[in-house]
């Protein structure tokens, strides 16, 4: 069996977790196994903070922060790596830390952080731990080889911070660079990072190691992809808000993608695409209960008894309402709005247009809202098309997800009457064409109440 297994930051939090995870791999590895790892927990955040602040820090402080990062990794080497590999492993760490230091000092001297240099800084989280973890496994007599995402063959566009694989090249290279080890050594590959065609390091977006695992899995035509997480699986709702939320045992790619997109932070939103393309089952496996089957994601769209499988909430979003009688019957306005936002790298989460055509409503990430308003205003400057843009910064999207929803009469009615009965006002409803999702916007302060009402109505 050929399996790609991904382990995130929690699996590598400290020396104890590293040992736990290494032993887990020893026990569950298959004939052909590939491992993808992300950074130790908190390291990517720390690197991000450093990159952002390094311009205002003095050299001593920068060195001190780097030393702390180094120390966390060194402890793992000391506690988990066999004596005979210690020196080799420490040398690798030392070289990488020096590179990190040069990078940060460079940014600090130049006084400017570009998206490209940010990605370079962020790449160190994975680059530091992957070789160490490889030596930890060697110390357990498992034959491994460590590779960065780009050495594995993932080549992306130059969209730093949110890069996309160039499939043709990636597929060919991954098959060569990783394929040759299958059944011989276990490749330990850094998640999250890749490089563009010019060889510059890119990242796939925060949480991108899941994506790395499915990219590799799809290039290698794996039998399964296992994403180990410190949760029980995908849940019917966020258990922090709904304590009796249940584990979803089986779900389709499309449904799980909707959940990821609308805020179930368990999965990177793009991660399922490559697996879906090749029809490779993805398992969300509980890191601390590896015998448990967790959640299985496949192409099968089973209808659950009550149609609704899960409810996701996306907070920290803002709604824009764009008005103007000048928009009526004028083709291309929506396209121009969307293009203006796309050019500014602003992601639109939800769209709706009233049938009178005098307004278009959009939902964007809250942090993008000012940029979005500016972009739209400047697109239509001097024209008498848009009269006004209203903005509500404190909203949340609720996404009710389940196969066969749109085709079943009465589901929408039940959704909205449950929300109304809970006293929550609905501000906007999406008219998306997805067969598996009804989504709507409420004031953020009402979103937990609405979620509770819906979970009770449909799940338990
Ligand atoms: N280390 C990266 C992050 O924290 C990627 C990942 O965790 O998947 O975003
Ligand atoms: Mg992570």
């Amino acid at each position: 069996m050929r399996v790609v297994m991904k382990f995130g930051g929690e699996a590598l939090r400290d020396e104890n977790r590293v040992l736990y995870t290494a032993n887990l791999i020893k026990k569950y590895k298959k004939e052909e196994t590939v491992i993808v790892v992300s950074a130790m927990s908190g390291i990517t955040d720390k690197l991000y903070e450093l990159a952002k602040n390094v311009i205002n820090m003095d050299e001593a402080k920068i060195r001190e922060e780097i030393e702390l990062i180094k120390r966390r990794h060194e402890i793992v080497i000391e506690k988990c790596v066999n004596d005979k590999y210690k020196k080799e492993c420490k040398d690798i760490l030392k070289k990488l830390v020096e590179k990190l230091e040069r990078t940060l000092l460079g940014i600090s001297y130049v006084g400017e952080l570009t998206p490209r240099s940010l990605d370079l800084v962020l790449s160190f989280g994975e680059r530091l731990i992957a070789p160490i973890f490889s030596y930890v496994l060697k110390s357990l007599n498992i034959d491994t080889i460590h590779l960065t995402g780009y050495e594995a063959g993932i080549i992306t566009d130059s969209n730093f911070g949110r890069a996309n694989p160039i499939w043709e090249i990636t597929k060919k290279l991954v098959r060569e660079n990783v394929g040759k080890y299958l059944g011989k050594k276990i490749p330990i590959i850094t998640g999250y990072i890749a490089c563009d065609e010019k060889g510059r390091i890119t990242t796939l977006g925060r949480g991108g190691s899941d994506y790395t695992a499915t990219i590799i899995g799809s290039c290698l035509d794996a039998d399964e992809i296992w994403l180990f997480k410190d949760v029980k699986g995908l849940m019917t709702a966020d258990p922090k808000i709904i304590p009796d939320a249940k584990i979803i045992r089986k779900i389709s790619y499309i449904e799980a993608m909707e959940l990821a997109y609308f805020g179930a932070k368990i999965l990177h939103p793009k991660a399922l695409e490559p697996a879906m393309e090749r029809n490779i089952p993805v398992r969300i496996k509980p890191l601390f209960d590896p015998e448990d089957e967790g959640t299985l994601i496949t192409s099968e769209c089973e209808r659950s008894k009550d149609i609704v499988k899960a409810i996701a909430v996306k907070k920290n979003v803002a709604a824009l309402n764009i008005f103007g009688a000048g928009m009526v019957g004028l083709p291309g306005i929506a396209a121009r709005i969307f293009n203006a936002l796309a050019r500014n790298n602003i992601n639109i989460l939800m769209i709706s247009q009233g049938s009178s055509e005098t307004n278009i409503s959009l939902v964007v990430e809250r942090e993008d809202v000012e940029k979005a308003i500016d972009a739209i205003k400047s697109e239509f400057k001097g024209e008498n098309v848009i009269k006004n843009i209203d903005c509500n910064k404190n909203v949340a999207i609720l996404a009710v997800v389940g196969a066969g929803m749109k085709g079943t009469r009465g589901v929408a009615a039940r959704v909205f009457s449950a929300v109304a009965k809970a006293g929550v006002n609905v501000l906007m409803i999406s008219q998306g064409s997805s067969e598996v999702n009804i989504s709507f916007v409420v004031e953020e302060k009402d979103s937990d109440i609405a979620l509770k009402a819906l979970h009770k109505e449909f799940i338990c």
Side-chain angles (χ1 to χ4, degrees):
M1 190 177 184
R2 182 176 298 172
V3 181
V4 176
M5 302 183 190
K6 178 256 168 175
F7 295 89
E10 282 305 317
L12 307 165
R13 166 179 283 281
D14 54 25
E15 67 277 17
N16 297 325
R17 289 279 174 84
V18 165
L19 270 186
Y20 172 86
T21 302
N23 280 301
L24 188 157
I25 292 171
K26 187 168 182 156
K27 180 158 177 207
Y28 292 96
K29 68 179 164 43
K30 304 287 173 197
E31 299 76 30
E32 298 181 344
T33 304
V34 175
I35 305 288
V36 171
V37 291
S38 72
M40 294 179 82
S41 67
I43 294 286
T44 311
D45 287 335
K46 190 76 216 169
L47 290 167
Y48 184 83
E49 194 190 305
L50 267 174
K52 289 280 169 184
N53 297 320
V54 79
I55 297 165
N56 304 313
M57 283 162 72
D58 59 40
E59 246 188 79
K61 180 72 187 154
I62 298 172
R63 293 221 160 83
E64 193 182 302
E65 293 288 342
I66 294 173
E67 191 53 37
L68 289 174
I69 294 176
K70 184 178 178 199
R71 198 58 210 136
R72 269 189 74 187
H73 292 83
E74 225 163 34
I75 294 175
V76 176
I77 301 179
E78 277 156 18
K79 299 270 164 68
C80 314
V81 173
N82 206 318
D83 280 344
K84 69 174 174 194
Y85 300 122
K86 270 198 179 117
K87 168 138 192 348
E88 230 170 301
C89 198
K90 281 195 174 169
D91 283 347
I92 295 177
L93 176 66
K94 186 162 166 268
K95 285 212 178 92
L96 282 166
V97 168
E98 280 164 11
K99 277 192 194 161
L100 170 62
E101 189 174 303
R102 281 203 298 277
T103 308
L104 286 170
L105 290 176
I107 294 166
S108 151
Y109 290 142
V110 177
E112 189 193 13
L113 178 69
T114 61
R116 176 183 162 190
S117 45
L118 177 60
D119 270 6
L120 179 56
V121 174
L122 293 176
S123 74
F124 281 93
E126 275 73 11
R127 286 161 73 195
L128 289 169
I129 195 67
I132 298 176
F133 193 56
S134 172
Y135 280 98
V136 174
L137 288 165
K138 280 191 213 293
S139 306
L140 295 176
N141 292 321
I142 300 170
D143 200 4
T144 56
I145 170 118
H146 59 273
L147 300 168
T148 59
Y150 41 94
E151 287 164 344
I154 304 178
I155 308 296
T156 64
D157 58 20
S158 306
N159 193 358
F160 295 102
R162 226 184 264 172
N164 305 294
I166 303 173
W167 281 105
E168 257 165 58
I169 314 176
T170 298
K171 184 159 285 175
K172 179 170 172 289
L173 289 178
V174 170
R175 283 190 182 163
E176 287 168 16
N177 301 357
V178 185
K180 66 179 172 207
Y181 296 115
L182 289 173
K184 299 183 187 108
K185 284 173 189 285
I186 298 188
I188 311 295
I189 302 174
T190 62
Y192 180 52
I193 62 177
C195 75
D196 70 2
E197 286 178 287
K198 291 188 181 137
R200 303 175 298 185
I201 291 185
T202 55
T203 65
L204 306 174
R206 293 302 307 271
S209 304
D210 289 343
Y211 196 24
T212 303
T214 56
I215 292 169
I216 304 265
S218 88
C219 291
L220 295 177
D221 257 320
D223 295 306
E224 290 193 4
I225 299 163
W226 296 0
L227 308 175
F228 282 89
K229 307 262 171 188
D230 63 336
V231 293
K232 294 182 192 140
L234 283 178
M235 306 291 286
T236 53
D238 182 348
K240 283 194 215 97
I241 306 170
I242 310 287
D244 41 349
K246 294 188 187 130
I247 305 169
I248 304 169
R249 290 299 179 186
K250 273 177 151 185
I251 191 165
S252 65
Y253 296 119
I254 312 266
E255 291 168 303
M257 267 153 101
E258 295 282 347
L259 286 179
Y261 185 72
F262 287 107
K265 284 187 205 72
I266 295 177
L267 264 179
H268 185 287
K270 283 196 269 183
L272 293 174
E273 279 170 27
M276 183 162 103
E277 179 102 346
R278 310 286 312 162
N279 213 349
I280 301 169
V282 176
R283 287 180 192 277
I284 311 286
K285 291 280 273 177
L287 177 64
F288 300 113
D289 189 7
E291 288 292 327
D292 189 279
E293 71 228 41
T295 298
L296 176 63
I297 310 172
T298 64
S299 58
E300 274 167 55
C301 240
E302 278 182 14
R303 275 162 169 254
S304 67
K305 190 171 92 274
D306 237 345
I307 313 276
V308 171
K309 260 181 215 160
I311 307 143
V313 179
K314 184 156 176 74
K315 296 184 181 176
N316 298 315
V317 295
L320 292 177
N321 211 339
I322 306 159
F323 295 97
M327 298 196 305
V328 180
L330 201 62
I333 299 292
R336 281 176 64 194
I337 294 175
F338 302 152
N339 278 329
L341 296 179
R343 272 198 309 278
N344 286 281
N345 225 338
I346 297 166
N347 195 15
I348 305 173
L349 295 158
M350 201 170 137
I351 303 163
S352 102
Q353 181 173 31
S355 55
S356 71
E357 294 187 31
T358 54
N359 76 310
I360 293 177
S361 309
L362 303 173
V363 179
V364 296
E365 299 283 352
R366 191 170 297 153
E367 60 181 24
D368 287 341
V369 70
E370 313 294 344
K371 213 165 66 168
I373 295 174
D374 288 347
I376 298 167
K377 281 191 178 154
S378 82
E379 170 69 31
F380 292 96
K381 205 165 154 195
E383 296 174 46
N384 199 11
V385 178
I386 287 174
K387 226 168 102 206
N388 197 8
I389 305 179
D390 267 3
C391 163
N392 185 341
K393 283 192 189 167
N394 296 306
V395 299
I397 301 176
L398 272 95
V400 181
V401 172
M405 202 140 59
K406 285 273 158 81
T408 311
R409 266 192 288 162
V411 180
R414 267 175 79 193
V415 168
F416 292 111
S417 60
V419 174
K421 250 190 250 154
V424 173
N425 188 26
V426 174
L427 303 171
M428 173 179 165
I429 300 174
S430 115
Q431 301 180 317
S433 61
S434 158
E435 291 285 301
V436 300
N437 161 13
I438 295 176
S439 43
F440 58 95
V441 174
V442 299
E443 295 280 351
E444 193 177 276
K445 65 173 170 46
D446 293 337
S447 62
D448 287 0
I449 304 169
L451 175 63
K452 281 180 191 146
L454 288 169
H455 202 266
K456 196 151 179 222
E457 171 72 26
F458 288 102
I459 295 160
C460 58

